[in-house]
């Protein structure tokens, strides 16, 4: 096998965001664009040489082409062995599971997660380290620095390897194992949860579920776990075949993109009792009951309050963590059960040290992400199994479990308003204006709300003391209400401003109200403080979750 060195010119825009490098497919299709970034990874992580790499993606357009390119660059860079998912498919949580199980030096995941796919959609590449988690910022910064000056990359001159069926072969000295994408992950789930109790739930009464795989990566996982291993209803999984363009839909599991799932839960005599969906790469989850939506921040709090009931967590929790904009529902539970609760920046990479240092067991984000110390990624199917196991034990519906949780701990009304694809300079100006007025806002009274604290959140990692700054403007009011402003780090068009709004209501008599109504005054205050109308020429967001 011939290894050749290709002369290249660097790109200036290969800075990974909240979760990997994410760009339009057309950007990745530029000459040497993918190659430059992959070579930069291999340059920065010499441990990959002579070791094992896990490789897979969510099946979106350009995955197949990129996988072949990466295999050839890996072979040329002295990687000893690559385990790649059959058909090139591996969910993000499965990659994390495989890295840990087989002691790999790292993993590469090809996905733009919940972003749309297809020829005109988005593509992405994430590097995960030996602990199974997303590369920390220090590492992604190094990869970015190298990418800005890269002059050559190494690649093997050889034909493509078939990824269609499980088999082992060699690219030069590098062994390539095409593995079953699902089994190791499904086995891990079976160790964590009580599959026989969940199975009884499905077989002993007319309990049925509907899981929307959104034509993304979780289809094969969901079919094996829910239908084959747990004997769920035969139509439990919808949109279960991964497609390059996700069937033209947006693989983002929220109420706006899951009409078929919602219909399956809310209409007809055979309506499912439990519903769920996951995103492009399988790390997000949405949990639904009949006519009932579980806010992801509440889901994390409910998991924290009930984890001890589940076999995998019966020894209790070490601690919990949530990202800055996630509601403080989990804080209330942590306080009551006497465990530490950490507030981290947005993005799963910030949970890694807390998990590795055994400070926390559960963690989550408002953006439909939750997970535990079983791997180092958020995990969509894990969250669904957690809920199924809980329902089986408690013999209560999703709604009953959630309402009794609110009754006991109080309810955090919560919403996120997104202004999408806005001019990046305008967005930066808005955030800078907010930054400039943080101290002057303290003590201000807005209607019923008085500002207690206002700052630009910064985070000192308690394990390695690394400092990360400018993570979001937070405005905290005297009654515990909060407004957070931050710019997204996963978009591929202009900027997206996210405004997160939360209000804590203790009294159970007030838990039945509509979220947007309860938060209306705070939403107006948020728009006033940020001067949304003047900056964007409008005061209605593109998306509300
Ligand atoms: C978003 C979410 C964040 C999540 C990230 C990656 O980031 O807000 O909580 O960790 O996506 O999720 P941002 O910077 O756009 O707000 V995934 O499932 O897209 O990898
Ligand atoms: Co994702």
């Amino acid at each position: 096998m011939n290894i050749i060195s290709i002369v290249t010119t660097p790109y200036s825009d290969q800075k990974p965001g909240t979760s990997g490098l994410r760009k339009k497919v057309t950007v990745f299709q530029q000459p040497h664009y993918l190659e430059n970034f992959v070579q930069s990874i291999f340059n920065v992580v010499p441990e990959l040489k002579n070791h094992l790499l896990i490789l897979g993606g969510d099946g979106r357009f350009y995955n197949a082409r990129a996988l072949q390119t990466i295999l050839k660059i890996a072979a040329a860079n002295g990687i000893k062995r690559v385990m790649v998912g059959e058909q090139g498919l591996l969910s993000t949580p499965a990659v994390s599971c495989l890295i840990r199980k087989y002691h790999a030096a790292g993993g590469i995941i090809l996905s733009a997660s919940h972003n749309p796919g297809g020829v005109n959609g988005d593509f992405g590449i994430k590097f995960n380290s030996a602990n199974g988690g997303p590369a920390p910022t220090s590492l992604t910064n190094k990869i970015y620095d190298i990418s800005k000056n890269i002059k050559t990359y190494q690649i093997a001159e050889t034909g493509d390897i078939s990824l269609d069926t499980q088999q082992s072969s060699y690219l030069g000295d590098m062994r390539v194992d095409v593995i079953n994408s699902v089994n190791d992950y499904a086995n891990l789930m079976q160790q964590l949860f009580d599959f026989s109790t969940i199975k009884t739930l499905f077989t002993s009464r007319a309990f049925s579920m509907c899981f929307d795989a959104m034509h993304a990566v979780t289809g094969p996982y969901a079919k094996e776990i829910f239908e084959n291993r747990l004997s769920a209803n035969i139509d439990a999984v919808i949109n279960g075949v991964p497609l390059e363009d996700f069937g033209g839909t947006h693989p983002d599991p929220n109420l706006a993109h899951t009409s078929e799932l919602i219909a399956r839960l809310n209409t007809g005599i055979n309506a499912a009792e439990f519903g769920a969906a996951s995103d492009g790469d399988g790390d997000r989850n949405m949990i639904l009951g009949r006519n009932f939506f579980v806010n992801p921040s509440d889901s994390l709090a409910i998991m924290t309050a009930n984890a001890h009931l589940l076999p995998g967590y019966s020894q209790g929790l070490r601690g919990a963590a949530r990202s800055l904009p996630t509601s403080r529902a989990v804080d209330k539970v942590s306080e009551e059960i006497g465990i530490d609760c950490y507030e981290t920046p947005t993005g799963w990479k910030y949970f890694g040290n807390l998990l590795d240092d055994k400070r926390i067991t559960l963690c989550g984000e408002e953006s439909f992400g939750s997970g535990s110390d079983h791997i180092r990624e958020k995990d969509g199917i894990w969250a669904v199994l957690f809920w199924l196991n809980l329902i089986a034990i408690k013999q209560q519906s999703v709604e009953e479990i959630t309402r009794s949780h609110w009754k006991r701990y109080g309810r955090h009304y919560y919403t996120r308003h997104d202004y999408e694809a806005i001019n990046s300079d305008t967005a930066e100006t808005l955030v800078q204006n907010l930054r400039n007025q943080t101290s002057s806002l303290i003590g201000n009274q807005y209607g019923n709300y008085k500002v207690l604290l206002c700052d630009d959140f910064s985070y000192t990692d308690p394990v390695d003391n690394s400092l990360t700054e400018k993570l979001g403007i937070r405005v905290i009011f005297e009654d515990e209400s909060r407004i957070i402003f931050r710019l997204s780090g996963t978009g591929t068009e202009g900027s997206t401003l996210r405004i997160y709004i939360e209000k804590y209501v203790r009294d159970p008599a007030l838990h039945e109200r509509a979220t947007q109504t309860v938060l209306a005054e705070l939403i107006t205050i948020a728009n006033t403080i940020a001067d949304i109308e003047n900056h964007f020429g409008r005061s209605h967001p593109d998306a509300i979750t």
Side-chain angles (χ1 to χ4, degrees), residues 20 41 68 80 157 177 228 298 372 393 451 466 495 500 527:
I41 295 174
Q68 296 297 338
K80 188 174 183 191
E157 260 191 327
D177 294 312
N228 297 345
D298 282 347
S372 86
I393 291 170
V451 180
S466 58
S495 293
Y500 311 82
N527 289 354

Side-chain angles (χ1 to χ4, degrees), residues 17-19 22 92 111-115 126 279 281 283-284 323 325-326 346-349 365-368 377-378 416 486-491 496 498 500:
T18 313
S19 179
R22 224 171 265 192
T92 288
S111 173
S113 191
H114 60 289
N115 294 18
K126 308 191 267 189
D279 69 331
D281 62 330
D283 56 0
R284 295 187 177 208
S323 64
T326 304
T346 297
W348 210 261
K349 55 190 167 199
E365 297 190 274
E366 54 68 42
S367 54
F368 299 82
E377 285 280 4
K378 58 185 185 271
R416 188 178 98 190
R486 61 177 283 280
L487 296 180
S488 157
T490 58
T496 292
R498 303 202 197 283
Y500 311 82

